[in-house]
Amino acid sequence: MPTLDIALMGNPVLARLASPVEDPGDPAIAALVADMLETMTAANGVGLAAPQVGRSLQLVIFSVPAERTADGIGFPPTVLINPQIEPLGDATDEAYEGCLSVPGLTGRVPRWRTIGYRGLGNDGKPIEREVSGFHARVIQHECDHLWGRLYLSRMRDMSSLAFADELRRQIEAAREVEQPETAPSAMGEDA
């Protein structure tokens, strides 16, 4: 299974609406999923959408690390084909996000706090969940790729856009001065 090249901001595949996957059982889809999983792992990402690897298809993969959930229970790598999301309430949260297609940068992005999502798994069986927090953020971020959007287009205030390494240095410097309980929280992972 090869790792795939990740499309970078400016690549037209990232700016167009992805096509539905017609046959989730197609062996070519299974092969794409395997390559995407390897690519996501090699890039240290928590999510990857097919357009990010040059395939304009409604297919995302993601994982949710246990340390990023309120209950300490994560989700292993999951495939979601032809996903649909729906906000459950009006509440939003704003947090830093990064993206494998926008390497090195991070910015604060508002997202619905709780969503419902549905689609098909890699086995063609329906998946339907209600999630909140980081899990909801990852799904929204990845589905944006299917709709031709990058997180930058969702930012309310571009002054939060920063190089991730510089922001980490600033956070570490603040922690040296402040007590750990009051230091700024770490930013989001690349998806």
Side-chain angles (χ1 to χ4, degrees):
M1 291 178 281
T3 58
L4 304 170
D5 291 335
I6 295 174
L8 299 178
M9 182 172 58
N11 187 315
V13 73
L14 297 173
R16 64 178 172 249
L17 185 63
S19 299
V21 173
E22 296 298 329
D23 179 7
D26 184 339
I29 296 298
L32 175 59
V33 165
D35 291 346
M36 286 175 63
L37 284 167
E38 186 161 325
T39 302
M40 183 180 79
T41 301
N44 294 316
V46 295
L48 190 65
Q52 290 183 277
V53 293
R55 310 309 194 285
S56 188
L57 294 170
Q58 291 183 19
L59 186 155
V60 301
I61 60 171
F62 66 93
S63 61
V64 180
E67 62 271 12
R68 298 300 305 262
T69 65
D71 60 8
I73 299 171
F75 276 81
T78 302
V79 176
L80 194 59
I81 297 170
N82 300 331
Q84 298 175 351
I85 62 172
E86 178 183 351
L88 301 177
D90 294 329
T92 61
D93 289 319
E94 193 169 288
Y96 277 96
E97 289 185 21
C99 181
L100 296 173
S101 292
V102 188
L105 293 176
T106 187
R108 292 185 62 81
V109 181
R111 298 283 186 189
W112 290 304
R113 182 177 301 155
T114 304
I115 63 167
Y117 70 84
R118 62 186 167 280
L120 300 174
N122 200 35
D123 57 5
K125 293 182 181 173
I127 294 174
E128 191 166 345
R129 295 184 180 129
E130 291 183 6
V131 297
S132 59
F134 187 70
H135 190 155
R137 178 169 295 277
V138 170
I139 296 299
Q140 291 171 79
H141 178 108
E142 296 311 324
C143 286
D144 270 356
H145 286 296
L146 306 182
W147 304 319
R149 294 193 76 169
L150 296 173
Y151 77 86
L152 299 159
S153 70
R154 295 224 182 252
M155 292 176 62
R156 291 184 185 139
D157 181 0
M158 293 303 287
S159 70
S160 74
L161 187 63
F163 284 102
D165 288 345
E166 178 60 25
L167 188 57
R168 280 187 197 97
R169 280 193 286 277
Q170 296 299 321
I171 290 169
E172 289 171 12
R175 285 186 177 143
E176 290 176 9
V177 174
E178 300 173 1
Q179 294 193 16
E181 296 81 37
T182 61
S185 63
M187 66 201 151
E189 280 130 38
D190 290 339

